[in-house]
Amino acid sequence: MLQGKTALITGAATGIGRAIALDMARSGANIALNHFNTPKDAKEAYELIIAEGVRCKVYDCDVADYHATEQMVAGTIEDFGRIDILVNNAGIVRDNLMLRMSEQDFDEVIKVNLKGPFNLTKHLYRRFMKNRSGSIINLASVCGLNGWERQANYAATKGGLISLTKTTAKELAGRGITCNAICPGFIATDMTADLKGESRNEFEAGIPMRRLGSPEDVSMLAVFLASDGARYITGETIRVDGGLCI
Ligand code: NAI
């Protein structure tokens, strides 16, 4: 489905990003794998990706850093010749009641989860326009749709990312470029690793499908959104939440 395309995926060493990288590789895409300070996880992901018979290169870069991301995009284009797909997946949480949330925890989450996708989209904007093609996929969250207690910072970034997605879609649609957001519910990754025992059971009871999702429950949607089959879908926000927000 993605033969000959190159995908730049942020935060792709673990979790949902790794699953997207692997499924895109299985669909024939070469992978530019971004991570930040997680060389062991990145190496592991790299080995799995090249075993699928595609090219992969690893870029250690903080998505919140405007200039470093500009260099990463330039380096990726130099290494692969082109970028066709951008997946803004990197994200962090710093949960707390707003009452106790520090300014630093608010700012850090904004920088990674919202400014990160802006940085990458901005650095690829002209290139995608010139190519008259490109797919941008942003990992938002159901928290961005509904808000969530103890996640004022995180929910604000994900709501902002949904608006960024729609704006990008409107600005670039005339050139055949798509931009869509995926809103996962609760997915079993490092991000939700604190959900254990009783509290995990409680969460699962509140999900109509009665289980947390897996990264693989999310990843094939990203493959589809990046494929030619989705070329007329843009500005869309799709939940992958086992029915949580019905
Ligand atoms: P994860 O923690 O496994 O993945 C996030 C990745 O981003 C990690 O590999 C991390 O090292 C990387 N990262 C963090 N800061 C970075 C930075 N400054 N620059 C580059 N990379 C950075 O967690 P998961 O669950 O795979 O998260 C992936 C995306 O899915 C995130 O955007 C998250 O907000 C979103 N999401 C996850 C949900 C869940 O329940 N796990 C639910 C809804 C959305």
Side-chain angles (χ1 to χ4, degrees), residues 9-20 34-38 41-42 59-65 69 72 88-94 108 111-113 116-117 120 138-144 151 154 157-158 161 182-193 195 212-213 215 218 240:
I9 308 170
T10 67
T14 63
I16 297 170
R18 183 192 283 199
I20 291 174
N34 161 259
H35 73 105
F36 183 44
N37 271 339
T38 56
D41 291 329
Y59 305 88
D60 187 344
C61 169
D62 179 359
V63 295
D65 184 329
T69 49
M72 176 171 69
N88 283 310
N89 165 80
I92 57 169
V93 282
R94 297 281 185 274
E108 266 181 38
K111 276 190 203 147
V112 176
N113 295 11
L120 271 300
N138 293 327
L139 268 293
S141 166
V142 292
C143 306
Q151 292 201 312
Y154 183 80
T157 62
K158 297 304 187 178
L161 188 53
I182 298 177
C183 287
F186 293 104
I187 309 297
T189 65
D190 292 350
M191 195 171 272
T192 49
L195 273 183
L212 262 62
V218 181
V240 184

Side-chain angles (χ1 to χ4, degrees), residues 194-205:
D194 287 348
L195 273 183
K196 290 188 195 112
E198 276 293 290
S199 61
R200 180 167 171 147
N201 294 343
E202 252 175 58
F203 261 94
E204 287 183 327

